[in-house]
């Protein structure tokens, strides 16, 4: 299959599934996965595969970094203990339980542990896309778990593969050293790369060069960590968390605008492409299954899925009640959730492309030259688990959320109102001193003071309206009318500059420059940002 044709096919599928998702209210990943499975019936597409190196070395750093810089570090600190437990002990417990079940089904212990390590981690991409309807704290915990548990699972996976192939010796000291190196080295590399990135970004003013540096950050962190055999996953995550705190203090506004636009489109395309490719791999796994009959393999998928769900829910409940016995602080009582909420977190434990990439990366032969035992079955079961968790659990998530009756989460809107009002008030308080330092004309100061006072009045009116409900405040109604009028006039201005371009009175370059300013103003007004001019 020629690469250009594959690009066109993926693009068309992404667009079609995106449109269908918005009309049917079925999550994009589910439709994309099903579309990938359907594409597997096309003979020309049967040779398309997801190279493990592409996922682990190219896609994974980008996706992990974007998830890390867009997550809430405050929420991570609040739930750090639970995140650490689920990203380490739960991964080990899941891998062990799956290995035991797979061994009971007939797999040797080595391949069984390889399978367990492959399907143990949840997928950050799937969680970020499918679990958006959950409260912020729950989504943060799930995303943070998914960011870190890949490192734990890949260490287990490396040991299991090495022992099975005959290149590793299994001992408590050796395994402990691998974990220490993976976590300690990964954290150290992440901090180092973040420090270097801050120093470089502070010295670059050009927006394009600044975004090149941003693009290099996750790959640099992953590469350096892998060179010392540490966890590239953890290095990227730590680096992203540091940059999420330092980034708002450095760089220019235009650089940040370009960064958000670029990463939003890039990660969306990568995510969507991965789900389609996972579907294609699922088709391929069925065709390549030779060591077992299809019925036995499907039973294996069902058993492993059941084990994953049971172990996850049992671990969440057991760890929570253990913490309650040990920690009786009032702050801990405030973080307690119900078993229904834990059921939601269990259903949201999706598996994804990292699990599939690990299964596909299993060597084909042992060190003796013999074939790797049951490799085709490992790939099939992993594909089946990924597909089942994405489709079945993805469809079950919404009704499970309704059944759990989770409390409404208006924290983001409330905190944004607080940030807007506090920032405007402090800017207004600082106006006399700033104006005096700049030597600003008093008439300009009075004009800006009036705009900020009007802005504050509107913010407080919207805040009161949100808290009390009822009839719209007159100030809010007038501002809505003002916004509607401004948008209509912007449309007229856009028509005018396009007409001037068509009449050859202005150049296309001028059109793009003017239109860019008009677009920014339209975006601000459409989002309802009542910031003063």
């Amino acid at each position: 299959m020629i690469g250009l044709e594959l690009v066109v096919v993926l693009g068309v599928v992404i667009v079609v599934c995106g449109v269908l998702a918005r009309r049917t209210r079925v999550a994009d990943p589910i439709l994309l996965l099903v579309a990938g499975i359907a594409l597997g019936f096309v003979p020309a597409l049967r040779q398309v595969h997801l190279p493990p190196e592409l996922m682990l070395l190219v896609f994974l750093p980008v996706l992990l970094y974007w998830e890390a810089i867009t997550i809430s570090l405050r929420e991570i600190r609040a739930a750090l203990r639970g995140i650490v437990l689920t990203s380490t002990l739960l991964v080990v417990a899941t891998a062990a339980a799956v290995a035991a079940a797979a061994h009971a089904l007939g797999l040797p212990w080595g391949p069984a542990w390889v399978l367990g390590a492959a399907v143990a981690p949840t997928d950050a991409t799937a969680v970020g896309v499918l679990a958006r309807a959950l409260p912020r704290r729950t989504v943060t915990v799930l995303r943070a778990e998914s960011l870190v548990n890949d490192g734990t699972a890949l260490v287990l996976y490396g040991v299991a593969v090495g022992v099975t192939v005959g290149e590793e010796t299994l001992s408590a000291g050796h395994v402990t050293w691998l974990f220490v190196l993976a976590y300690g080295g990964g954290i150290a590399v992440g901090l180092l790369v973040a420090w270097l990135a801050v120093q470089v970004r502070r010295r670059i003013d050009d927006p394009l060069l600044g975004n090149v540096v941003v693009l290099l950050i996750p790959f640099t962190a992953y590469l350096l960590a892998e060179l010392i055999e540490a966890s590239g996953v953890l290095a990227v995550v730590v680096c992203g968390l540091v940059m999420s705190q330092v980034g708002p203090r450095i760089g220019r506004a235009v650089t940040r605008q370009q960064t958000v636009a670029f990463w939003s489109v890039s990660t969306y395309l990568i995510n969507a492409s991965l789900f389609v490719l996972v579907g294609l791999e699922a088709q391929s796994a069925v065709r390549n299954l030779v060591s077992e009959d299809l019925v036995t393999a499907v039973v294996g998928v069902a058993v492993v899925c059941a084990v994953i769900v049971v172990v996850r829910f049992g671990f969440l409940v057991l760890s929570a009640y253990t913490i309650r016995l040990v920690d009786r602080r009032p702050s801990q009582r405030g973080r307690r959730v119900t078993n229904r909420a834990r059921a939601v977190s269990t259903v949201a434990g999706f598996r994804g492309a990292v699990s599939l990439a690990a299964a596909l990366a299993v060597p084909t032969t042992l060190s003796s030259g013999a074939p790797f035992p049951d490799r085709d079955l490992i790939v099939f079961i992993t594909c089946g688990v990924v597909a089942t968790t994405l489709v079945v659990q993805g469809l079950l998530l919404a009704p499970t959320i309704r059944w759990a009756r989770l409390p409404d989460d208006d924290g983001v809107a409330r905190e944004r109102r607080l940030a807007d009002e506090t920032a405007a008030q402090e800017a207004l308080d600082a106006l006399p001193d700033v104006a005096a330092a700049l030597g600003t004309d008093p008439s300009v100061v009075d004009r800006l003071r009036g705009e900020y006072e009007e802005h504050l009045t509107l913010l407080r009116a919207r805040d009161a309206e949100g808290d009390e409900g009822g009839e719209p405040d007159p100030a809010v109604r007038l501002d809505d009318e003002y916004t509607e009028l401004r948008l209509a006039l912007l449309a007229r201005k856009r028509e005018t500059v396009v007409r001037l371009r068509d009449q050859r009175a202005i150049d296309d370059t001028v059109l793009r420059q003017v239109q860019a300013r008009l677009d920014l103003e339209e975006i601000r007004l459409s989002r309802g940002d009542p910031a003063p001019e």
Side-chain angles (χ1 to χ4, degrees), residues 252-300:
R252 299 171 56 192
V254 64
T255 303
R256 289 191 291 271
Q257 288 284 337
Q258 289 182 4
T259 300
V260 172
F262 170 78
W263 283 82
S264 298
V265 174
S266 300
T267 53
Y268 176 79
L269 290 175
I270 291 174
N271 284 334
S273 300
L274 280 176
F275 289 120
V276 177
L277 293 173
V278 167
L280 282 169
E281 288 295 343
Q283 259 271 6
S284 176
V286 175
R287 294 194 303 271
N288 295 330
L289 183 65
V290 293
S291 63
E292 294 285 351
D293 62 272
L294 184 60
V295 174
T296 302
V298 171
V299 170

Side-chain angles (χ1 to χ4, degrees), residues 30 33 119 121-123 126 130 275 278 301 304-306 308-309 346-353 355 381-397:
I30 298 174
L33 180 69
V119 300
T122 54
D123 186 71
L130 292 170
F275 289 120
V278 167
V301 172
V304 171
C305 287
I308 288 173
V309 171
T346 300
V347 174
F350 309 108
R351 270 57 182 177
S355 295
I381 293 179
T382 304
C383 286
V385 169
V386 171
T388 301
T389 57
L390 289 176
V391 176
V392 177
Q393 292 179 207
L395 293 174
L396 287 175
L397 183 59

Side-chain angles (χ1 to χ4, degrees), residues 122-134:
T122 54
D123 186 71
T125 299
V127 168
V129 175
L130 292 170
R132 291 173 179 170
L134 293 172

Side-chain angles (χ1 to χ4, degrees), residues 114-328:
V114 172
L115 174 63
V119 300
T122 54
D123 186 71
T125 299
V127 168
V129 175
L130 292 170
R132 291 173 179 170
L134 293 172
R136 177 178 54 175
R137 177 188 171 191
T138 305
V139 173
T140 300
V141 172
L142 290 170
R143 288 176 63 193
E145 173 197 350
S146 302
L147 288 174
V148 180
N149 62 16
D150 288 339
T152 306
L154 290 177
V155 172
L156 288 175
Y157 170 84
V159 172
V161 171
V163 170
T164 305
V165 170
E167 298 175 350
E168 294 269 5
T169 57
L170 185 62
S171 66
H174 180 61
V175 174
T176 301
W177 165 245
L178 290 177
F179 274 102
V180 170
L181 178 61
Y183 278 87
I187 293 172
V189 170
L191 293 175
L192 174 62
V193 173
W195 181 83
L196 291 173
V198 170
Q199 304 310 311
V200 173
R201 288 194 62 190
R202 281 177 174 166
R203 290 165 173 78
I204 293 180
D205 292 328
D206 184 272
L208 292 177
L209 292 178
N211 277 295
V212 172
V213 172
V214 173
L215 183 60
L216 285 173
I217 291 173
F219 297 109
T220 304
Y222 197 92
L223 174 62
L224 291 180
E226 290 296 315
L227 287 177
I228 64 172
E229 299 184 353
S231 172
V233 170
L234 199 58
V236 173
V237 170
V238 170
C239 185
L241 291 175
V242 173
M243 294 305 297
S244 73
Q245 302 303 299
V246 181
R249 296 186 176 91
I250 59 177
R252 299 171 56 192
V254 64
T255 303
R256 289 191 291 271
Q257 288 284 337
Q258 289 182 4
T259 300
V260 172
F262 170 78
W263 283 82
S264 298
V265 174
S266 300
T267 53
Y268 176 79
L269 290 175
I270 291 174
N271 284 334
S273 300
L274 280 176
F275 289 120
V276 177
L277 293 173
V278 167
L280 282 169
E281 288 295 343
Q283 259 271 6
S284 176
V286 175
R287 294 194 303 271
N288 295 330
L289 183 65
V290 293
S291 63
E292 294 285 351
D293 62 272
L294 184 60
V295 174
T296 302
V298 171
V299 170
V301 172
V303 170
V304 171
C305 287
V307 168
I308 288 173
V309 171
V310 171
V311 170
R312 182 172 180 82
F313 182 73
F315 184 89
L316 293 177
V317 173
L318 180 62
S319 61
Y321 283 99
T322 301
I323 291 173
R324 287 188 186 185
L325 292 175
V326 175
D327 188 353
R328 296 187 173 275

Side-chain angles (χ1 to χ4, degrees), residues 92 100 125 234 272 324 328 353 378 408 423 434 441 456 486 495:
V92 176
T125 299
L234 199 58
R324 287 188 186 185
R328 296 187 173 275
I378 292 173
D408 294 332
V434 174
D441 187 276
L456 269 172
R486 285 285 300 275
E495 293 172 1

Side-chain angles (χ1 to χ4, degrees), residues 465-484:
E465 183 183 51
D467 293 338
E468 299 173 4
E471 292 296 325
D473 188 282
V476 175
R477 179 178 56 80
L478 291 175
D479 182 71
D480 290 340
E481 293 180 2
Y482 171 80
T483 300
E484 183 180 5

